[in-house]
Amino acid sequence: MTGAQPAPGAAPVLVLGGTTEGRRLAAALAAEPGLRPITSLAGRVAAPGAVAGDVRVGGFGGADELARWLVAHGIRAVVDATHPFAATISRHAAAACAVAGVPLVALRRPGWTAGPGDRWTWAADLPDAARRLPRLGRRALLAIGRQEARAFAGVTGTWCLIRAIDPPTGPLPPRHELLLARGPFALADERRLLRRRAIDVVVTKDAGGDATRAKLDAARELAVPVLIVRRPAAPDGPGITTVGSVDAAVAAVRALAP
Ligand code: NAP
């Protein structure tokens, strides 16, 4: 726990985190006098950064267990601030909140859109991206995350520079090199990386946000094609308030858990 102690009787708010927005949201909610953020992290990253308020780590054990956890902890609102590709926990959060009768705020950062000069190919999902990759380039930057690299294990015709925060586990493409690094990445560094490693295709998920978008700008400048994976569908329905920014999420929580 970091920051000031919450006031007695402050309303507990569960933040499903693991993202830059989750961390910023926890700080903003901790600064609200009547609220007590509890951030939940999956525990995938070996050394997550500091988070304001309380933190719990690890899966809940499915949607039913999450619903029980919400009731047991008297949670007044949940904010799903997980990564747009963390589809399972988002689905579980929607189901658990519906069962427990707890309002859910879904914080979904806008996706990226191509502009003039961009050479983007959209893939429906990771297996589709792996199928398309050999036709797009011989030397790929796989900037897709540690757990997803395994989807490219069958790619033999393209050498892959796999960038991830922690080393991937599971099968990997036979011709690859690992680059362990944590964003945000600056444009000048991305440009240098693409040039030095002679990258001729960049593979990314449509994560959105600024922290990892410099690779797209560098690719456009160097006329390098980008293979970009579409987001999975996000849950929607009654009881879910969808917002696109941390400020809007704070306002929504204030309205739901005054
Ligand atoms: P996922 O496939 O949607 O979730 C798999 C399981 O991990 C969930 O069923 C849940 O286990 C547990 N889990 C996920 N997020 C959790 C959280 N915040 N708190 C507690 N348990 C959580 O998720 P993922 O893609 O593995 O991502 C895991 C975490 O990393 C997320 O919090 C996400 O924000 C962050 N992240 C993901 C990506 C990405 O590209 N997927 C990128 C950056 C950060 P139970 O069913 O046991 O509750």
Side-chain angles (χ1 to χ4, degrees), residues 11-14 29 32 34-35 74-80 97 101-107 238-243 248-258:
V13 175
L14 178 65
L29 294 178
E32 295 281 322
L35 301 175
I75 298 297
R76 299 278 295 280
V78 175
V79 185
D80 177 7
C97 285
V102 175
L104 173 63
V105 177
L107 171 50
I240 303 180
T241 306
T242 300
V243 296
V250 173
V253 170
R254 257 200 237 114
L256 292 166

Short mmCIF file of all heavy atoms in Angstrom, two decimals, residues 11-14 29 32 34-35 74-80 97 101-107 238-243 248-258:
data_model
loop_
_atom_site.label_atom_id
_atom_site.label_comp_id
_atom_site.label_asym_id
_atom_site.label_seq_id
_atom_site.Cartn_x
_atom_site.Cartn_y
_atom_site.Cartn_z
N ALA A 11 -15.51 4.00 0.62
CA ALA A 11 -16.08 2.92 -0.19
C ALA A 11 -14.99 2.17 -0.95
O ALA A 11 -14.23 2.78 -1.71
CB ALA A 11 -17.09 3.52 -1.18
N PRO A 12 -14.91 0.83 -0.76
CA PRO A 12 -13.90 0.08 -1.49
C PRO A 12 -14.27 -0.08 -2.97
O PRO A 12 -15.39 -0.47 -3.29
CB PRO A 12 -13.86 -1.28 -0.78
CG PRO A 12 -15.03 -1.34 0.11
CD PRO A 12 -15.70 -0.02 0.16
N VAL A 13 -13.32 0.21 -3.83
CA VAL A 13 -13.52 0.11 -5.29
C VAL A 13 -12.43 -0.82 -5.83
O VAL A 13 -11.25 -0.61 -5.57
CB VAL A 13 -13.39 1.50 -5.95
CG1 VAL A 13 -13.46 1.39 -7.47
CG2 VAL A 13 -14.45 2.45 -5.42
N LEU A 14 -12.85 -1.86 -6.54
CA LEU A 14 -11.87 -2.79 -7.11
C LEU A 14 -11.44 -2.30 -8.49
O LEU A 14 -12.28 -2.08 -9.37
CB LEU A 14 -12.47 -4.20 -7.23
CG LEU A 14 -11.54 -5.24 -7.88
CD1 LEU A 14 -10.30 -5.51 -7.02
CD2 LEU A 14 -12.29 -6.53 -8.16
N LEU A 29 -8.12 7.62 -7.68
CA LEU A 29 -9.17 7.20 -6.73
C LEU A 29 -8.67 7.33 -5.29
O LEU A 29 -9.43 7.68 -4.38
CB LEU A 29 -9.61 5.76 -7.01
CG LEU A 29 -10.33 5.52 -8.35
CD1 LEU A 29 -10.65 4.04 -8.52
CD2 LEU A 29 -11.60 6.35 -8.45
N GLU A 32 -9.32 10.61 -3.82
CA GLU A 32 -10.73 10.95 -3.55
C GLU A 32 -11.03 10.59 -2.10
O GLU A 32 -10.85 9.43 -1.70
CB GLU A 32 -11.66 10.15 -4.47
CG GLU A 32 -11.52 10.47 -5.94
CD GLU A 32 -12.26 11.76 -6.31
OE1 GLU A 32 -13.35 12.00 -5.76
OE2 GLU A 32 -11.72 12.50 -7.14
N GLY A 34 -13.65 9.87 -0.28
CA GLY A 34 -14.60 8.83 0.13
C GLY A 34 -14.35 7.46 -0.49
O GLY A 34 -15.17 6.56 -0.33
N LEU A 35 -13.24 7.30 -1.20
CA LEU A 35 -13.03 6.06 -1.94
C LEU A 35 -11.75 5.35 -1.49
O LEU A 35 -10.77 6.00 -1.11
CB LEU A 35 -12.95 6.35 -3.45
CG LEU A 35 -14.18 7.01 -4.07
CD1 LEU A 35 -13.91 7.36 -5.54
CD2 LEU A 35 -15.40 6.12 -3.96
N GLY A 74 -17.27 -6.17 0.30
CA GLY A 74 -18.16 -5.00 0.29
C GLY A 74 -17.85 -4.01 -0.82
O GLY A 74 -17.97 -2.79 -0.65
N ILE A 75 -17.43 -4.54 -1.98
CA ILE A 75 -17.01 -3.67 -3.08
C ILE A 75 -18.20 -2.88 -3.62
O ILE A 75 -19.26 -3.44 -3.90
CB ILE A 75 -16.35 -4.51 -4.21
CG1 ILE A 75 -15.10 -5.22 -3.69
CG2 ILE A 75 -16.04 -3.64 -5.43
CD1 ILE A 75 -13.97 -4.33 -3.24
N ARG A 76 -18.01 -1.56 -3.79
CA ARG A 76 -19.11 -0.70 -4.22
C ARG A 76 -19.11 -0.46 -5.73
O ARG A 76 -20.14 -0.12 -6.31
CB ARG A 76 -19.00 0.64 -3.49
CG ARG A 76 -19.11 0.47 -1.97
CD ARG A 76 -20.56 0.38 -1.53
NE ARG A 76 -21.23 1.64 -1.81
CZ ARG A 76 -21.14 2.71 -1.05
NH1 ARG A 76 -20.42 2.67 0.06
NH2 ARG A 76 -21.78 3.81 -1.37
N ALA A 77 -17.97 -0.60 -6.35
CA ALA A 77 -17.88 -0.49 -7.82
C ALA A 77 -16.60 -1.18 -8.27
O ALA A 77 -15.64 -1.26 -7.51
CB ALA A 77 -17.86 0.98 -8.26
N VAL A 78 -16.65 -1.71 -9.49
CA VAL A 78 -15.46 -2.33 -10.10
C VAL A 78 -15.09 -1.51 -11.34
O VAL A 78 -15.98 -1.11 -12.09
CB VAL A 78 -15.75 -3.79 -10.51
CG1 VAL A 78 -14.55 -4.40 -11.25
CG2 VAL A 78 -16.09 -4.65 -9.30
N VAL A 79 -13.80 -1.26 -11.50
CA VAL A 79 -13.35 -0.67 -12.77
C VAL A 79 -12.47 -1.70 -13.46
O VAL A 79 -11.47 -2.16 -12.91
CB VAL A 79 -12.54 0.63 -12.58
CG1 VAL A 79 -12.21 1.24 -13.94
CG2 VAL A 79 -13.30 1.63 -11.73
N ASP A 80 -12.89 -2.09 -14.66
CA ASP A 80 -12.08 -2.99 -15.47
C ASP A 80 -11.11 -2.12 -16.28
O ASP A 80 -11.48 -1.57 -17.31
CB ASP A 80 -12.98 -3.82 -16.40
CG ASP A 80 -12.16 -4.71 -17.32
OD1 ASP A 80 -10.93 -4.78 -17.16
OD2 ASP A 80 -12.77 -5.34 -18.22
N CYS A 97 -19.96 -9.08 -11.71
CA CYS A 97 -20.65 -7.86 -11.27
C CYS A 97 -22.16 -8.03 -11.43
O CYS A 97 -22.93 -7.58 -10.58
CB CYS A 97 -20.16 -6.65 -12.07
SG CYS A 97 -18.52 -6.11 -11.55
N GLY A 101 -24.40 -7.84 -8.23
CA GLY A 101 -25.14 -6.57 -8.21
C GLY A 101 -24.23 -5.38 -7.95
O GLY A 101 -24.62 -4.40 -7.32
N VAL A 102 -23.00 -5.46 -8.47
CA VAL A 102 -22.04 -4.36 -8.30
C VAL A 102 -21.86 -3.67 -9.65
O VAL A 102 -21.67 -4.34 -10.67
CB VAL A 102 -20.67 -4.92 -7.80
CG1 VAL A 102 -19.62 -3.82 -7.74
CG2 VAL A 102 -20.83 -5.59 -6.45
N PRO A 103 -21.93 -2.32 -9.69
CA PRO A 103 -21.75 -1.64 -10.98
C PRO A 103 -20.32 -1.80 -11.51
O PRO A 103 -19.37 -1.83 -10.74
CB PRO A 103 -22.05 -0.17 -10.67
CG PRO A 103 -21.98 -0.04 -9.20
CD PRO A 103 -22.20 -1.38 -8.59
N LEU A 104 -20.22 -1.90 -12.84
CA LEU A 104 -18.93 -2.09 -13.50
C LEU A 104 -18.65 -0.92 -14.44
O LEU A 104 -19.49 -0.57 -15.27
CB LEU A 104 -18.96 -3.40 -14.31
CG LEU A 104 -17.74 -3.69 -15.19
CD1 LEU A 104 -16.46 -3.85 -14.38
CD2 LEU A 104 -17.98 -4.96 -16.02
N VAL A 105 -17.49 -0.35 -14.28
CA VAL A 105 -17.02 0.68 -15.21
C VAL A 105 -15.94 0.04 -16.07
O VAL A 105 -14.95 -0.48 -15.54
CB VAL A 105 -16.44 1.91 -14.46
CG1 VAL A 105 -15.90 2.94 -15.45
CG2 VAL A 105 -17.50 2.53 -13.56
N ALA A 106 -16.14 0.02 -17.38
CA ALA A 106 -15.15 -0.56 -18.29
C ALA A 106 -14.35 0.58 -18.90
O ALA A 106 -14.88 1.39 -19.65
CB ALA A 106 -15.85 -1.38 -19.37
N LEU A 107 -13.07 0.63 -18.53
CA LEU A 107 -12.18 1.67 -19.07
C LEU A 107 -11.49 1.11 -20.31
O LEU A 107 -10.63 0.23 -20.19
CB LEU A 107 -11.17 2.09 -17.99
CG LEU A 107 -10.02 3.01 -18.40
CD1 LEU A 107 -10.49 4.22 -19.17
CD2 LEU A 107 -9.24 3.45 -17.16
N PRO A 238 -26.42 -4.15 -19.56
CA PRO A 238 -26.89 -3.32 -18.46
C PRO A 238 -25.94 -3.42 -17.26
O PRO A 238 -25.36 -4.47 -17.01
CB PRO A 238 -28.26 -3.92 -18.11
CG PRO A 238 -28.37 -5.19 -18.86
CD PRO A 238 -27.31 -5.24 -19.90
N GLY A 239 -25.74 -2.33 -16.58
CA GLY A 239 -24.85 -2.33 -15.41
C GLY A 239 -23.41 -2.05 -15.78
O GLY A 239 -22.55 -1.95 -14.91
N ILE A 240 -23.09 -1.93 -17.10
CA ILE A 240 -21.72 -1.64 -17.52
C ILE A 240 -21.67 -0.22 -18.08
O ILE A 240 -22.41 0.11 -19.01
CB ILE A 240 -21.21 -2.64 -18.58
CG1 ILE A 240 -21.30 -4.08 -18.06
CG2 ILE A 240 -19.79 -2.30 -19.00
CD1 ILE A 240 -20.82 -5.14 -19.05
N THR A 241 -20.83 0.61 -17.49
CA THR A 241 -20.61 1.96 -18.01
C THR A 241 -19.25 1.95 -18.70
O THR A 241 -18.24 1.69 -18.06
CB THR A 241 -20.57 2.99 -16.86
OG1 THR A 241 -21.76 2.86 -16.08
CG2 THR A 241 -20.44 4.40 -17.38
N THR A 242 -19.24 2.20 -20.01
CA THR A 242 -17.98 2.18 -20.75
C THR A 242 -17.44 3.60 -20.90
O THR A 242 -18.17 4.50 -21.33
CB THR A 242 -18.18 1.53 -22.13
OG1 THR A 242 -18.66 0.19 -21.92
CG2 THR A 242 -16.88 1.46 -22.91
N VAL A 243 -16.18 3.78 -20.54
CA VAL A 243 -15.54 5.10 -20.66
C VAL A 243 -14.20 4.94 -21.37
O VAL A 243 -13.68 3.82 -21.47
CB VAL A 243 -15.33 5.75 -19.26
CG1 VAL A 243 -16.65 6.03 -18.56
CG2 VAL A 243 -14.43 4.87 -18.39
N ALA A 248 -12.66 10.08 -16.98
CA ALA A 248 -14.06 9.66 -17.12
C ALA A 248 -14.37 8.49 -16.19
O ALA A 248 -15.47 8.38 -15.65
CB ALA A 248 -14.36 9.30 -18.57
N ALA A 249 -13.40 7.63 -15.97
CA ALA A 249 -13.60 6.49 -15.06
C ALA A 249 -13.76 7.00 -13.63
O ALA A 249 -14.63 6.52 -12.88
CB ALA A 249 -12.42 5.52 -15.16
N VAL A 250 -12.97 7.98 -13.24
CA VAL A 250 -13.08 8.55 -11.89
C VAL A 250 -14.47 9.17 -11.71
O VAL A 250 -15.14 8.95 -10.70
CB VAL A 250 -11.97 9.60 -11.63
CG1 VAL A 250 -12.20 10.30 -10.29
CG2 VAL A 250 -10.60 8.95 -11.66
N ALA A 251 -14.90 9.93 -12.72
CA ALA A 251 -16.23 10.57 -12.63
C ALA A 251 -17.32 9.51 -12.54
O ALA A 251 -18.27 9.64 -11.76
CB ALA A 251 -16.45 11.46 -13.86
N ALA A 252 -17.19 8.43 -13.29
CA ALA A 252 -18.20 7.37 -13.27
C ALA A 252 -18.22 6.69 -11.90
O ALA A 252 -19.30 6.40 -11.36
CB ALA A 252 -17.90 6.34 -14.37
N VAL A 253 -17.06 6.46 -11.32
CA VAL A 253 -17.01 5.82 -10.00
C VAL A 253 -17.62 6.76 -8.95
O VAL A 253 -18.39 6.33 -8.09
CB VAL A 253 -15.55 5.46 -9.61
CG1 VAL A 253 -15.46 5.02 -8.15
CG2 VAL A 253 -15.04 4.35 -10.52
N ARG A 254 -17.28 8.03 -9.05
CA ARG A 254 -17.85 9.01 -8.11
C ARG A 254 -19.37 8.96 -8.16
O ARG A 254 -20.05 9.03 -7.14
CB ARG A 254 -17.40 10.41 -8.49
CG ARG A 254 -16.30 10.94 -7.59
CD ARG A 254 -16.24 12.46 -7.70
NE ARG A 254 -14.93 12.89 -8.12
CZ ARG A 254 -14.65 13.49 -9.27
NH1 ARG A 254 -15.60 13.71 -10.15
NH2 ARG A 254 -13.43 13.85 -9.54
N ALA A 255 -19.91 8.83 -9.35
CA ALA A 255 -21.38 8.81 -9.50
C ALA A 255 -21.97 7.50 -8.98
O ALA A 255 -23.08 7.48 -8.46
CB ALA A 255 -21.73 9.00 -10.98
N LEU A 256 -21.22 6.40 -9.12
CA LEU A 256 -21.75 5.08 -8.74
C LEU A 256 -21.52 4.75 -7.27
O LEU A 256 -22.30 4.03 -6.66
CB LEU A 256 -21.09 3.99 -9.60
CG LEU A 256 -21.45 4.01 -11.08
CD1 LEU A 256 -20.49 3.14 -11.87
CD2 LEU A 256 -22.89 3.54 -11.28
N ALA A 257 -20.41 5.24 -6.72
CA ALA A 257 -20.08 4.93 -5.32
C ALA A 257 -19.81 6.24 -4.58
O ALA A 257 -18.69 6.50 -4.17
CB ALA A 257 -18.86 4.02 -5.28
N PRO A 258 -20.86 7.10 -4.46
CA PRO A 258 -20.61 8.44 -3.92
C PRO A 258 -20.22 8.38 -2.44
O PRO A 258 -20.61 7.45 -1.76
CB PRO A 258 -21.93 9.16 -4.11
CG PRO A 258 -22.95 8.10 -4.26
CD PRO A 258 -22.26 6.89 -4.77
#
